[in-house]
Amino acid sequence: MRAAWAIAVKEFRGAFASPIAYAWLVVFLGFTSWFFFRGFFVLGLATMRGFFSLLPWTLVFLLPALTMRLWSEERKLGTLEVLLTWPVRESEAVAGKFLGGLGLLAVSLAGTLPLAATVFALGDPDPGPVLAGYCGLLLFGAAGLAIGSYASALTENQIVAYIGGVALTFALFVAGEDFVLVAAPGFLAPLLSSVGLGARFWSIGRGVIDSRDVLYFVAVTLFFLYLTVRRLQESRA
């Protein structure tokens, strides 16, 4: 675990030592602020409902941009083979890069707290759904990072990794949506309803943190991290 933590710190600091983290923060906070203030002034309501409704869609398309270079760049530059010769297990390398990305996501979400402070300063919203919404975003973001990490491990082309990450995350996100369940065959509807990332997030976003939803996000995250480890082990073999 010490090696994973060292890689996580290296990834996190490395992101801020390059334009990557700053470009990500500018785009992420620009999008979220625009979504927030657009609804805030149009509706004239001191609420975070619109913010939590739109931010998952933003993450579907932005998270793969954060993960597309994780393994594809290592593979393209030939440094993946060097990394795999280190006395570091694949699971530690995957966990380290994932935690580094999760740290950057946490910093990004913390950057939106002034928006929440604005709502609480101008109104009297229920703090429960706001806290639950942030927990849901972190869980959803962790799952998205794990999915993007796996997509990046499949190819040395970052564009392909980005498109693959968006496609996988989008498919899992909309799987439980009403329009998909209506169009899907009846026998598939219960399965799609249970695997939809979006349906699980909307449940938490309403302020109800169900342990089954939390366990689902944790399971999806661990599953795609496991697939990433297996992919790296195949590369070493």
Side-chain angles (χ1 to χ4, degrees):
M1 193 62 195
R2 182 178 296 177
W5 182 249
I7 293 173
V9 172
K10 176 178 176 294
E11 284 291 319
F12 185 78
R13 289 179 175 173
F16 281 95
S18 69
I20 295 174
Y22 302 102
W24 158 265
L25 286 172
V26 167
V27 174
F28 178 81
L29 294 178
F31 268 108
T32 54
S33 298
W34 183 79
F35 283 139
F36 171 77
F37 285 111
R38 181 173 176 269
F40 189 79
F41 288 113
V42 170
L43 299 177
L45 297 175
T47 176
M48 298 285 288
R49 186 174 302 170
F51 174 81
F52 288 121
S53 296
L54 292 173
L55 196 52
W57 290 101
T58 306
L59 291 177
V60 167
F61 293 95
L62 289 186
L63 282 177
L66 198 61
T67 58
M68 66 182 187
R69 52 174 285 276
L70 286 181
W71 301 108
S72 59
E73 186 179 59
E74 300 270 11
R75 190 184 296 274
K76 184 176 182 179
L77 297 177
T79 53
L80 179 61
E81 290 74 12
V82 177
L83 177 63
L84 295 180
T85 60
W86 291 1
V88 177
R89 290 178 293 184
E90 292 88 351
S91 58
E92 293 173 325
V94 170
K97 284 180 175 285
F98 167 76
L99 290 174
L102 189 62
L104 181 53
L105 176 63
V107 170
S108 305
L109 293 178
T112 67
L113 291 178
L115 304 180
T118 302
V119 171
F120 280 97
L122 298 178
D124 186 26
D126 184 353
V130 176
L131 291 174
Y134 274 106
C135 289
L137 286 175
L138 196 58
L139 289 168
F140 178 77
L145 288 172
I147 295 169
S149 177
Y150 173 61
S152 180
L154 293 174
T155 177
E156 66 177 30
N157 187 309
Q158 294 190 32
I159 301 300
V160 174
Y162 172 78
I163 295 173
V166 170
L168 279 171
T169 309
F170 181 82
L172 279 174
F173 183 72
V174 303
E177 296 294 305
D178 291 340
F179 70 92
V180 175
L181 298 179
V182 170
F187 69 95
L188 279 179
L191 174 62
L192 293 174
S193 178
S194 63
V195 301
L197 287 173
R200 300 282 183 172
F201 175 79
W202 305 135
S203 176
I204 296 177
R206 288 194 294 270
V208 181
I209 301 181
D210 191 315
S211 59
R212 291 171 296 182
D213 295 327
V214 174
L215 288 175
Y216 172 76
F217 278 113
V218 172
V220 170
T221 302
L222 293 178
F223 176 69
F224 278 96
L225 290 179
Y226 168 76
L227 291 181
T228 307
V229 171
R230 291 292 300 167
R231 177 61 179 165
L232 294 183
Q233 289 174 339
E234 291 171 2
S235 299
R236 172 177 277 183

